[in-house]
Amino acid sequence: DAGVIQSPRHEVTEMGQEVTLRCKPISGHDYLFWYRQTMMRGLELLIYFNNNVPIDDSGMPEDRFSAKMPNASFSTLKIQPSEPRDSAVYFCASRNRAGPGGKAGELFFGEGSRLTVL
Amino acid sequence: SQQGEEDPQALSIQEGENATMNCSYKTSINNLQWYRQNSGRGLVHLILIRSNEREKHSGRLRVTLDTSKKSSSLLITASRAADTASYFCATGDTGGFKTIFGAGTRLFVKA
């Protein structure tokens, strides 16, 4: 398996522009997570999906952020409009059901999308 | 929001020495996991310990969990320069679906 695939790896944009980050999870995984990593705040969970349905988006910082998962093999994280404080590395991770009730197990991470907003 | 806090924030040791990293967390958990991140890369899962387990081994890794103290430790024995990376603990909540990460420990192993 190719693992979790994220694109783009690097994005530089200007404040106010729309940014779309993409993720292809590992085939067969039914949980997908978006995390944001910064030096100041570490790794923050933004949102996660189960079977393409958003379950918990309490970590999404503002209405400028939105995430979708139209099918089992694709998810997007969109920022509109972007601001300099959105600069971070955004990670997508997936996992499958692990044990009874699908309790949390090993997460498989992509290589991340490094976003710089000028 | 972060759940765990790692200690120390940074650790520098000589190759061959053991490295110990600690993690404390705040709420009840279903499991605790440790991940490694090389510079500029994604996180890689190392080991998972469930809340009803006290110790677990995997190769040169040893993880302990004390749920009464809400703490865990990761021991890397006979460290190598290639172990240089950041190490994160992550907790699975009792609902079992969310995984929340701590701030991480940066380990530097000198050859």
mmCIF file of all heavy atoms in Angstrom, chain B residues 26-55:
data_model
loop_
_atom_site.group_PDB
_atom_site.id
_atom_site.type_symbol
_atom_site.label_atom_id
_atom_site.label_comp_id
_atom_site.label_asym_id
_atom_site.label_seq_id
_atom_site.Cartn_x
_atom_site.Cartn_y
_atom_site.Cartn_z
ATOM 1 N N LYS B 26 -4.244 14.063 31.372
ATOM 2 C CA LYS B 26 -5.174 14.667 32.319
ATOM 3 C C LYS B 26 -6.461 13.874 32.538
ATOM 4 O O LYS B 26 -7.012 13.870 33.627
ATOM 5 C CB LYS B 26 -5.529 16.086 31.863
ATOM 6 C CG LYS B 26 -4.332 17.014 31.775
ATOM 7 C CD LYS B 26 -4.702 18.352 31.149
ATOM 8 C CE LYS B 26 -3.469 19.234 30.992
ATOM 9 N NZ LYS B 26 -3.774 20.483 30.259
ATOM 10 N N THR B 27 -6.949 13.240 31.495
ATOM 11 C CA THR B 27 -8.252 12.599 31.617
ATOM 12 C C THR B 27 -8.134 11.082 31.514
ATOM 13 O O THR B 27 -7.074 10.547 31.191
ATOM 14 C CB THR B 27 -9.207 13.107 30.526
ATOM 15 O OG1 THR B 27 -8.662 12.753 29.243
ATOM 16 C CG2 THR B 27 -9.354 14.617 30.591
ATOM 17 N N SER B 28 -9.209 10.385 31.769
ATOM 18 C CA SER B 28 -9.212 8.925 31.644
ATOM 19 C C SER B 28 -8.984 8.533 30.190
ATOM 20 O O SER B 28 -9.419 9.227 29.276
ATOM 21 C CB SER B 28 -10.564 8.365 32.123
ATOM 22 O OG SER B 28 -10.742 8.634 33.487
ATOM 23 N N ILE B 29 -8.287 7.422 30.002
ATOM 24 C CA ILE B 29 -7.927 7.014 28.655
ATOM 25 C C ILE B 29 -8.304 5.566 28.385
ATOM 26 O O ILE B 29 -8.479 4.769 29.308
ATOM 27 C CB ILE B 29 -6.418 7.202 28.388
ATOM 28 C CG1 ILE B 29 -5.601 6.335 29.350
ATOM 29 C CG2 ILE B 29 -6.032 8.665 28.485
ATOM 30 C CD1 ILE B 29 -4.107 6.304 29.025
ATOM 31 N N ASN B 30 -8.406 5.255 27.116
ATOM 32 C CA ASN B 30 -8.595 3.874 26.671
ATOM 33 C C ASN B 30 -7.245 3.233 26.387
ATOM 34 O O ASN B 30 -7.046 2.040 26.615
ATOM 35 C CB ASN B 30 -9.471 3.862 25.415
ATOM 36 C CG ASN B 30 -9.577 2.486 24.797
ATOM 37 O OD1 ASN B 30 -8.757 2.089 23.979
ATOM 38 N ND2 ASN B 30 -10.599 1.729 25.198
ATOM 39 N N ASN B 31 -6.324 4.049 25.832
ATOM 40 C CA ASN B 31 -4.994 3.546 25.529
ATOM 41 C C ASN B 31 -4.033 4.720 25.428
ATOM 42 O O ASN B 31 -4.449 5.893 25.362
ATOM 43 C CB ASN B 31 -4.987 2.752 24.223
ATOM 44 C CG ASN B 31 -5.337 3.612 23.030
ATOM 45 O OD1 ASN B 31 -4.532 4.437 22.595
ATOM 46 N ND2 ASN B 31 -6.535 3.449 22.496
ATOM 47 N N LEU B 32 -2.753 4.420 25.394
ATOM 48 C CA LEU B 32 -1.731 5.438 25.210
ATOM 49 C C LEU B 32 -0.761 4.927 24.166
ATOM 50 O O LEU B 32 -0.387 3.747 24.170
ATOM 51 C CB LEU B 32 -1.011 5.755 26.524
ATOM 52 C CG LEU B 32 -0.034 6.934 26.497
ATOM 53 C CD1 LEU B 32 -0.104 7.722 27.805
ATOM 54 C CD2 LEU B 32 1.380 6.485 26.220
ATOM 55 N N GLN B 33 -0.393 5.807 23.263
ATOM 56 C CA GLN B 33 0.486 5.415 22.163
ATOM 57 C C GLN B 33 1.709 6.333 22.140
ATOM 58 O O GLN B 33 1.647 7.470 22.597
ATOM 59 C CB GLN B 33 -0.266 5.538 20.829
ATOM 60 C CG GLN B 33 -1.541 4.721 20.764
ATOM 61 C CD GLN B 33 -2.356 5.045 19.540
ATOM 62 O OE1 GLN B 33 -1.829 5.116 18.432
ATOM 63 N NE2 GLN B 33 -3.657 5.255 19.722
ATOM 64 N N TRP B 34 2.785 5.820 21.578
ATOM 65 C CA TRP B 34 3.981 6.628 21.346
ATOM 66 C C TRP B 34 4.271 6.646 19.853
ATOM 67 O O TRP B 34 4.165 5.617 19.172
ATOM 68 C CB TRP B 34 5.178 6.066 22.115
ATOM 69 C CG TRP B 34 5.115 6.343 23.590
ATOM 70 C CD1 TRP B 34 4.540 5.567 24.566
ATOM 71 C CD2 TRP B 34 5.661 7.481 24.272
ATOM 72 N NE1 TRP B 34 4.689 6.159 25.799
ATOM 73 C CE2 TRP B 34 5.379 7.332 25.650
ATOM 74 C CE3 TRP B 34 6.372 8.622 23.860
ATOM 75 C CZ2 TRP B 34 5.766 8.273 26.602
ATOM 76 C CZ3 TRP B 34 6.759 9.546 24.811
ATOM 77 C CH2 TRP B 34 6.459 9.370 26.171
ATOM 78 N N TYR B 35 4.622 7.827 19.384
ATOM 79 C CA TYR B 35 4.942 8.036 17.974
ATOM 80 C C TYR B 35 6.300 8.707 17.870
ATOM 81 O O TYR B 35 6.753 9.406 18.779
ATOM 82 C CB TYR B 35 3.895 8.944 17.300
ATOM 83 C CG TYR B 35 2.564 8.289 17.076
ATOM 84 C CD1 TYR B 35 1.648 8.138 18.112
ATOM 85 C CD2 TYR B 35 2.205 7.824 15.811
ATOM 86 C CE1 TYR B 35 0.420 7.539 17.912
ATOM 87 C CE2 TYR B 35 0.972 7.221 15.591
ATOM 88 C CZ TYR B 35 0.090 7.085 16.646
ATOM 89 O OH TYR B 35 -1.127 6.488 16.437
ATOM 90 N N ARG B 36 6.904 8.531 16.728
ATOM 91 C CA ARG B 36 8.183 9.160 16.421
ATOM 92 C C ARG B 36 8.007 10.019 15.184
ATOM 93 O O ARG B 36 7.277 9.664 14.256
ATOM 94 C CB ARG B 36 9.210 8.053 16.154
ATOM 95 C CG ARG B 36 10.494 8.482 15.518
ATOM 96 C CD ARG B 36 11.271 7.286 15.039
ATOM 97 N NE ARG B 36 12.378 7.687 14.207
ATOM 98 C CZ ARG B 36 13.627 7.312 14.401
ATOM 99 N NH1 ARG B 36 13.935 6.491 15.380
ATOM 100 N NH2 ARG B 36 14.573 7.729 13.590
ATOM 101 N N GLN B 37 8.706 11.174 15.157
ATOM 102 C CA GLN B 37 8.667 12.048 13.998
ATOM 103 C C GLN B 37 10.076 12.504 13.671
ATOM 104 O O GLN B 37 10.713 13.206 14.459
ATOM 105 C CB GLN B 37 7.771 13.265 14.240
ATOM 106 C CG GLN B 37 7.638 14.173 13.031
ATOM 107 C CD GLN B 37 6.757 15.390 13.288
ATOM 108 O OE1 GLN B 37 6.715 15.919 14.392
ATOM 109 N NE2 GLN B 37 6.037 15.848 12.266
ATOM 110 N N ASN B 38 10.551 12.125 12.509
ATOM 111 C CA ASN B 38 11.809 12.643 12.013
ATOM 112 C C ASN B 38 11.545 14.021 11.415
ATOM 113 O O ASN B 38 10.445 14.320 10.958
ATOM 114 C CB ASN B 38 12.400 11.709 10.967
ATOM 115 C CG ASN B 38 13.010 10.467 11.595
ATOM 116 O OD1 ASN B 38 12.587 10.026 12.645
ATOM 117 N ND2 ASN B 38 14.003 9.905 10.933
ATOM 118 N N SER B 39 12.572 14.840 11.401
ATOM 119 C CA SER B 39 12.436 16.213 10.942
ATOM 120 C C SER B 39 11.837 16.274 9.540
ATOM 121 O O SER B 39 12.330 15.617 8.619
ATOM 122 C CB SER B 39 13.809 16.898 10.956
ATOM 123 O OG SER B 39 13.693 18.230 10.541
ATOM 124 N N GLY B 40 10.760 17.031 9.397
ATOM 125 C CA GLY B 40 10.152 17.230 8.095
ATOM 126 C C GLY B 40 9.304 16.070 7.598
ATOM 127 O O GLY B 40 8.888 16.073 6.426
ATOM 128 N N ARG B 41 9.054 15.107 8.463
ATOM 129 C CA ARG B 41 8.298 13.925 8.053
ATOM 130 C C ARG B 41 7.022 13.779 8.870
ATOM 131 O O ARG B 41 6.771 14.498 9.828
ATOM 132 C CB ARG B 41 9.167 12.667 8.220
ATOM 133 C CG ARG B 41 10.511 12.710 7.540
ATOM 134 C CD ARG B 41 10.391 12.787 6.032
ATOM 135 N NE ARG B 41 9.705 11.643 5.457
ATOM 136 C CZ ARG B 41 10.299 10.498 5.129
ATOM 137 N NH1 ARG B 41 11.585 10.341 5.338
ATOM 138 N NH2 ARG B 41 9.598 9.516 4.591
ATOM 139 N N GLY B 42 6.217 12.822 8.476
ATOM 140 C CA GLY B 42 5.022 12.508 9.251
ATOM 141 C C GLY B 42 5.352 11.661 10.468
ATOM 142 O O GLY B 42 6.474 11.209 10.642
ATOM 143 N N LEU B 43 4.360 11.479 11.328
ATOM 144 C CA LEU B 43 4.563 10.684 12.529
ATOM 145 C C LEU B 43 4.441 9.198 12.209
ATOM 146 O O LEU B 43 3.635 8.799 11.361
ATOM 147 C CB LEU B 43 3.536 11.053 13.609
ATOM 148 C CG LEU B 43 3.805 12.349 14.369
ATOM 149 C CD1 LEU B 43 3.438 13.562 13.532
ATOM 150 C CD2 LEU B 43 3.041 12.357 15.693
ATOM 151 N N VAL B 44 5.220 8.412 12.925
ATOM 152 C CA VAL B 44 5.212 6.965 12.759
ATOM 153 C C VAL B 44 4.902 6.321 14.109
ATOM 154 O O VAL B 44 5.517 6.644 15.119
ATOM 155 C CB VAL B 44 6.568 6.464 12.233
ATOM 156 C CG1 VAL B 44 6.578 4.940 12.170
ATOM 157 C CG2 VAL B 44 6.857 7.054 10.855
ATOM 158 N N HIS B 45 3.951 5.419 14.098
ATOM 159 C CA HIS B 45 3.522 4.743 15.325
ATOM 160 C C HIS B 45 4.622 3.793 15.809
ATOM 161 O O HIS B 45 5.225 3.054 15.024
ATOM 162 C CB HIS B 45 2.251 3.951 15.042
ATOM 163 C CG HIS B 45 1.688 3.250 16.227
ATOM 164 N ND1 HIS B 45 1.963 1.934 16.519
ATOM 165 C CD2 HIS B 45 0.855 3.677 17.206
ATOM 166 C CE1 HIS B 45 1.321 1.577 17.612
ATOM 167 N NE2 HIS B 45 0.629 2.616 18.048
ATOM 168 N N LEU B 46 4.896 3.851 17.127
ATOM 169 C CA LEU B 46 5.898 2.964 17.712
ATOM 170 C C LEU B 46 5.260 1.841 18.511
ATOM 171 O O LEU B 46 5.581 0.661 18.321
ATOM 172 C CB LEU B 46 6.820 3.764 18.635
ATOM 173 C CG LEU B 46 7.713 4.815 17.977
ATOM 174 C CD1 LEU B 46 8.479 5.593 19.033
ATOM 175 C CD2 LEU B 46 8.657 4.183 16.963
ATOM 176 N N ILE B 47 4.350 2.194 19.416
ATOM 177 C CA ILE B 47 3.833 1.193 20.343
ATOM 178 C C ILE B 47 2.553 1.710 20.978
ATOM 179 O O ILE B 47 2.380 2.916 21.154
ATOM 180 C CB ILE B 47 4.907 0.864 21.409
ATOM 181 C CG1 ILE B 47 4.560 -0.399 22.200
ATOM 182 C CG2 ILE B 47 5.168 2.047 22.317
ATOM 183 C CD1 ILE B 47 5.734 -0.936 23.020
ATOM 184 N N LEU B 48 1.654 0.808 21.299
ATOM 185 C CA LEU B 48 0.387 1.140 21.954
ATOM 186 C C LEU B 48 0.275 0.302 23.217
ATOM 187 O O LEU B 48 0.549 -0.900 23.202
ATOM 188 C CB LEU B 48 -0.785 0.856 21.019
ATOM 189 C CG LEU B 48 -2.215 1.112 21.516
ATOM 190 C CD1 LEU B 48 -3.138 1.448 20.352
ATOM 191 C CD2 LEU B 48 -2.783 -0.059 22.302
ATOM 192 N N ILE B 49 -0.144 0.934 24.306
ATOM 193 C CA ILE B 49 -0.382 0.223 25.555
ATOM 194 C C ILE B 49 -1.802 0.548 26.008
ATOM 195 O O ILE B 49 -2.232 1.704 25.982
ATOM 196 C CB ILE B 49 0.679 0.595 26.629
ATOM 197 C CG1 ILE B 49 0.489 -0.256 27.886
ATOM 198 C CG2 ILE B 49 0.686 2.084 26.948
ATOM 199 C CD1 ILE B 49 1.678 -0.181 28.849
ATOM 200 N N ARG B 50 -2.545 -0.469 26.348
ATOM 201 C CA ARG B 50 -3.942 -0.278 26.737
ATOM 202 C C ARG B 50 -4.024 0.079 28.217
ATOM 203 O O ARG B 50 -3.102 -0.191 28.982
ATOM 204 C CB ARG B 50 -4.760 -1.521 26.413
ATOM 205 C CG ARG B 50 -4.692 -1.877 24.941
ATOM 206 C CD ARG B 50 -5.805 -2.768 24.454
ATOM 207 N NE ARG B 50 -5.649 -3.071 23.041
ATOM 208 C CZ ARG B 50 -6.028 -2.262 22.054
ATOM 209 N NH1 ARG B 50 -6.573 -1.097 22.330
ATOM 210 N NH2 ARG B 50 -5.846 -2.620 20.792
ATOM 211 N N SER B 51 -5.148 0.643 28.604
ATOM 212 C CA SER B 51 -5.278 1.152 29.967
ATOM 213 C C SER B 51 -5.211 0.059 31.020
ATOM 214 O O SER B 51 -4.924 0.338 32.184
ATOM 215 C CB SER B 51 -6.600 1.925 30.109
ATOM 216 O OG SER B 51 -7.701 1.094 29.816
ATOM 217 N N ASN B 52 -5.438 -1.192 30.625
ATOM 218 C CA ASN B 52 -5.369 -2.282 31.602
ATOM 219 C C ASN B 52 -3.997 -2.988 31.588
ATOM 220 O O ASN B 52 -3.812 -4.009 32.239
ATOM 221 C CB ASN B 52 -6.479 -3.304 31.364
ATOM 222 C CG ASN B 52 -6.383 -3.937 29.986
ATOM 223 O OD1 ASN B 52 -5.558 -3.540 29.163
ATOM 224 N ND2 ASN B 52 -7.242 -4.911 29.724
ATOM 225 N N GLU B 53 -3.063 -2.427 30.848
ATOM 226 C CA GLU B 53 -1.707 -2.957 30.805
ATOM 227 C C GLU B 53 -0.776 -2.038 31.579
ATOM 228 O O GLU B 53 -1.001 -0.826 31.654
ATOM 229 C CB GLU B 53 -1.224 -3.091 29.355
ATOM 230 C CG GLU B 53 -2.052 -4.076 28.539
ATOM 231 C CD GLU B 53 -1.605 -4.114 27.079
ATOM 232 O OE1 GLU B 53 -1.461 -3.031 26.472
ATOM 233 O OE2 GLU B 53 -1.415 -5.236 26.570
ATOM 234 N N ARG B 54 0.305 -2.603 32.110
ATOM 235 C CA ARG B 54 1.245 -1.794 32.894
ATOM 236 C C ARG B 54 2.581 -1.619 32.199
ATOM 237 O O ARG B 54 3.294 -0.648 32.440
ATOM 238 C CB ARG B 54 1.446 -2.433 34.270
ATOM 239 C CG ARG B 54 0.224 -2.358 35.129
ATOM 240 C CD ARG B 54 -0.155 -0.915 35.449
ATOM 241 N NE ARG B 54 -1.476 -0.805 36.023
ATOM 242 C CZ ARG B 54 -2.534 -0.397 35.332
ATOM 243 N NH1 ARG B 54 -2.422 -0.075 34.053
ATOM 244 N NH2 ARG B 54 -3.707 -0.320 35.920
ATOM 245 N N GLU B 55 2.935 -2.590 31.354
ATOM 246 C CA GLU B 55 4.233 -2.522 30.687
ATOM 247 C C GLU B 55 4.151 -3.260 29.363
ATOM 248 O O GLU B 55 3.421 -4.253 29.228
ATOM 249 C CB GLU B 55 5.297 -3.169 31.579
ATOM 250 C CG GLU B 55 6.721 -3.019 31.094
ATOM 251 C CD GLU B 55 7.736 -3.471 32.133
ATOM 252 O OE1 GLU B 55 7.590 -3.100 33.309
ATOM 253 O OE2 GLU B 55 8.658 -4.215 31.758
#
